[in-house]
Amino acid sequence: MRRVIVTLSSGALAGLAGELAGDGITVEECPLLRFEPPADWRRLDRALAALDRYRAVAFTSPRAAEAVATRWRDLGLHHGGTAPAVWATGVATAAPLGDLFGAIRNPPEHEGPSRAEGAGAALAEAILAAGNGSPVLYPCGAVRREELTRRLTQAGIVVDEVICYRSVLAPPAVARDAAGRADVLVVGSPRVAELLAAACPAGRRPRLLALGPTTGGASKDSGWLPDAEASRPTVGELVKQLRSLLPDR
């Protein structure tokens, strides 16, 4: 039996196991990154209470969108004036927001920087092209890529980074165990890619499928060249890639 171990959060790729069962491929979830609330909610609470002063809000992760949506509901907040433009790097990132903030804008796929520069840079370019102005609220994790803030700041936009969640990596021993049991590892986080590269000896690594150019680049930079890179983090795309990596025997 060929085994695929998914290192994303539990349920992140629902349906993948069923799609691959007929191929004799077992899919196992082994999250290597967990999420916790920020040490203090007050900065986010203040930002949300004064949301109308921002010209735009930018989301680069579903986790940040989920934290903001939950906090907004818990605080019983409502829009009081002109709502800012709300941007997300993609449909999956925007999904936790529902209809709380109206229509969510996404950067056009055919515009922006090259894929290698990451989704945050593409989102920054879209915000600049739309001429939303300053300031921009950026709810984010305690550990994050700086490309969105850097690009907007270079263009004279004030970015208010507000931490709304913390990410905690699994111990190296857990990462080694996951790699030791896998024929293919599915990795969707640059930090997890770096953890696996550091924890797993070069001669004892399974094949690695990276979700997106940012994760693929982080893995490569850490010394573990991915065997494949999924262009989209969807079940259909992963089924195609995994069937290619694990052909029928």
Side-chain angles (χ1 to χ4, degrees), residues 84-100:
V86 179
W87 292 84
T89 49
V91 174
T93 297
L97 298 172
D99 60 359
L100 280 181

Side-chain angles (χ1 to χ4, degrees), residues 190-222:
R191 292 188 66 203
V192 171
E194 293 162 359
L195 167 68
L196 286 163
C200 303
R204 300 169 58 186
R205 293 174 175 174
R207 279 159 283 187
L208 189 144
L209 172 57
L211 303 190
T214 302
T215 298
S219 184
K220 181 180 179 180
D221 291 345
S222 299

Side-chain angles (χ1 to χ4, degrees), residues 106-122:
N106 304 124
E109 293 184 7
H110 63 282
E111 295 182 5
S114 68
R115 291 175 67 248
E117 292 184 75

Side-chain angles (χ1 to χ4, degrees), residues 115-207:
R115 291 175 67 248
E117 292 184 75
L123 185 61
E125 294 295 341
I127 292 172
L128 292 174
N132 292 138
S134 185
V136 171
L137 174 62
Y138 179 28
C140 55
V143 177
R144 59 201 173 275
R145 291 173 61 89
E146 300 296 333
E147 55 190 20
L148 181 136
T149 298
R150 180 170 57 249
R151 180 67 187 94
L152 292 179
T153 301
Q154 288 172 346
I157 302 296
V158 174
V159 180
D160 188 7
E161 294 184 339
V162 179
I163 295 171
C164 59
Y165 70 93
R166 295 178 293 150
S167 52
V168 181
L169 284 170
V174 175
R176 276 194 300 273
D177 178 70
R181 292 183 289 109
D183 292 296
V184 177
L185 281 170
V186 177
V187 182
S189 160
R191 292 188 66 203
V192 171
E194 293 162 359
L195 167 68
L196 286 163
C200 303
R204 300 169 58 186
R205 293 174 175 174
R207 279 159 283 187

